[in-house]
């Protein structure tokens, strides 16, 4: 299968690309290299790999790329609430308009897998299923929720609402909660945790890549649907994560009773739906 991966030089794409190539898929990456492209260099010797420098906000560029492939994985986005807060116009043009460009370029016979986020649930008391109302509380989640609606309305596609990512990637991110906690513990030898009881579900970046590949290869069974992607065994509070890290690394841990984390996500998620498709 010839697969276009938008944002393929990013945190998830850098892990997904070798997974797809090792499974004999041909991969074209469309990326503007905002964070550099060193992670892609090892693949240029692979005859199944192709790179195009461009931006998903360029509708003509997107259309020409989509015409050359069998399927599309749309990862390109300004990710996380701090980055979206810092670059709101770029976030809007990438996460919303860019997604619209991709959805409009895809034809009926081309699978489209859209990487979304559990952040779209916001702060809910009940266990979140795919039928739970979306209640985004950050600008990032608002743009991704809009992206979901665009994909569903225009292209159908498969929407994957990922749990909070963690783990090592060639294009490392230290703003993710687990990665940040580990970095603070190892480098600064101290960690301040706000709202220690807030709960999230987590997923390793390698498993994100596996889920995307699974969705491509089982598209007929999964299209026109949204799926929470993660596992119930990784529902943890912030305190749980901090304590687990301290079992490995000695550091000063302080739970702040005053002040709040700007990221107000607090939810528990069910992953029954995606487990039922294998």
């Amino acid at each position: 299968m010839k697969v276009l991966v938008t944002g393929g030089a990013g945190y998830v794409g850098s892990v997904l690309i070798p997974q797809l190539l090792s499974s004999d898929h041909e991969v074209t990456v469309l990326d503007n290299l905002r964070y550099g492209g060193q992670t892609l260099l090892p693949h240029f010797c692979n005859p199944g790999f192709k790179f195009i420098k461009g931006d998903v906000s360029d509708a003509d560029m997107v259309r020409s790329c989509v015409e050359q492939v069998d399927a599309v994985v749309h990862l390109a986005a300004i990710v996380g609430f701090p980055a979206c807060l810092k670059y709101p116009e770029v976030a809007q043009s990438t996460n919303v308009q860019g997604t619209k460009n991709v959805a409009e370029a895809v034809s009926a016979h081309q699978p489209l897998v859209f990487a979304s986020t559990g952040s779209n649930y916001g702060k809910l008391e009940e266990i979140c299923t795919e039928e739970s109302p979306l209640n985004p509380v950050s600008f990032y989640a608002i743009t991704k929720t809009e992206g979901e609606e665009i994909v569903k309305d225009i292209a159908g596609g498969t929407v994957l609402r990922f749990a909070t990512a963690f783990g090592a990637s060639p294009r490392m991110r230290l703003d993710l909660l687990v990665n940040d906690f580990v970095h603070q513990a190892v480098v600064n030898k101290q960690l301040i945790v706000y709202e220690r009881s807030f709960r999230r579900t987590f997923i390793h970046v390698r498993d994100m890549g596996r889920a995307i590949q699974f969705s491509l290869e089982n598209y007929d069974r999964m299209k026109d649907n949204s799926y929470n992607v993660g596992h119930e065994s990784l529902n943890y509070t912030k305190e749980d994560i901090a304590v687990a890290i301290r079992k490995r690394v000695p550091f000063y841990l302080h739970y702040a009773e005053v002040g709040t984390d700007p990221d107000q996500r607090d939810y528990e998620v069910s992953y029954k739906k995606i487990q039922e498709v294998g």
Side-chain angles (χ1 to χ4, degrees):
M1 187 186 303
K2 295 180 179 179
V3 183
L4 172 68
V5 181
T6 69
Y11 178 71
V12 177
S14 297
V15 173
L16 172 65
I17 303 308
Q19 290 177 333
L20 292 175
L21 290 171
S22 65
S23 298
D24 296 324
H25 295 292
E26 295 180 31
V27 178
T28 298
V29 168
L30 173 65
D31 199 292
N32 62 12
L33 302 185
R34 173 181 293 272
Y35 301 105
Q38 292 88 343
T39 64
L40 299 177
L41 290 177
H43 308 308
F44 278 87
C45 61
N46 190 318
F49 177 78
K50 181 179 179 181
F51 172 73
I52 299 171
K53 186 177 181 181
D55 200 290
V56 290
S57 62
D58 183 340
D60 292 334
M61 171 71 78
V62 170
R63 195 176 304 109
S64 67
C65 293
V66 171
E67 288 173 352
Q68 304 172 38
V69 299
D70 304 314
V72 179
V73 175
H74 182 38
L75 300 178
I78 303 299
V79 179
F81 79 92
C84 287
L85 202 61
K86 188 174 182 179
Y87 305 107
E89 293 181 359
V90 181
Q92 184 72 23
S93 65
T94 304
N95 299 8
V96 180
Q97 184 59 48
T99 300
K100 186 171 186 288
N101 292 341
V102 170
E104 289 180 339
V106 171
S107 61
H109 69 277
Q110 289 174 302
L112 170 61
V113 177
F114 175 57
S116 191
T117 171
S119 299
N120 296 353
Y121 291 118
K123 190 174 181 179
L124 294 179
E125 297 298 327
E126 70 269 17
I127 296 178
C128 300
T129 71
E130 289 78 0
E131 307 307 315
S132 299
L134 299 183
N135 183 36
V137 295
S138 69
F139 182 52
Y140 167 61
I142 290 169
T143 63
K144 295 301 283 187
T145 299
E146 287 185 50
E148 281 196 24
E149 294 170 354
I150 289 168
V151 168
K152 292 174 184 176
D153 291 344
I154 297 176
T158 299
V159 173
L160 302 180
R161 292 179 186 149
F162 285 107
T164 299
F166 73 97
S169 163
R171 211 298 274 178
M172 196 59 187
R173 283 182 58 193
L174 296 179
D175 59 309
L176 297 164
L177 189 143
V178 174
N179 294 354
D180 173 48
F181 278 19
V182 171
H183 180 257
Q184 297 296 334
V186 172
V187 176
N188 298 330
K189 306 298 183 184
Q190 63 177 359
L191 173 63
I192 299 174
V193 177
Y194 296 93
E195 290 149 334
R196 62 202 279 186
S197 64
F198 275 30
R199 181 173 292 275
R200 307 248 194 100
T201 312
F202 299 89
I203 183 171
H204 197 283
V205 65
R206 289 197 304 269
D207 292 326
M208 295 175 73
R210 292 173 56 233
I212 292 168
Q213 182 173 338
F214 180 88
S215 300
L216 283 174
E217 296 172 350
N218 295 272
Y219 189 74
D220 287 342
R221 290 195 292 144
M222 297 179 66
K223 63 183 179 181
D224 302 322
N225 262 299
S226 300
Y227 296 87
N228 295 328
V229 185
H231 197 273
E232 288 84 356
S233 64
L234 290 180
N235 273 312
Y236 290 115
T237 64
K238 292 181 181 181
E239 181 177 8
D240 292 334
I241 296 296
V243 170
I245 295 170
R246 198 156 65 164
K247 290 179 181 177
R248 302 273 183 161
V249 182
F251 65 94
Y252 173 71
L253 174 60
H254 175 68
Y255 298 113
E257 303 302 330
V258 178
T260 60
D261 186 337
D263 188 347
Q264 288 291 298
R265 283 176 289 166
D266 182 17
Y267 50 78
E268 187 171 344
V269 181
S270 166
Y271 298 99
K272 181 180 179 181
K273 184 175 179 180
I274 196 166
Q275 290 165 5
E276 288 177 345
V277 294

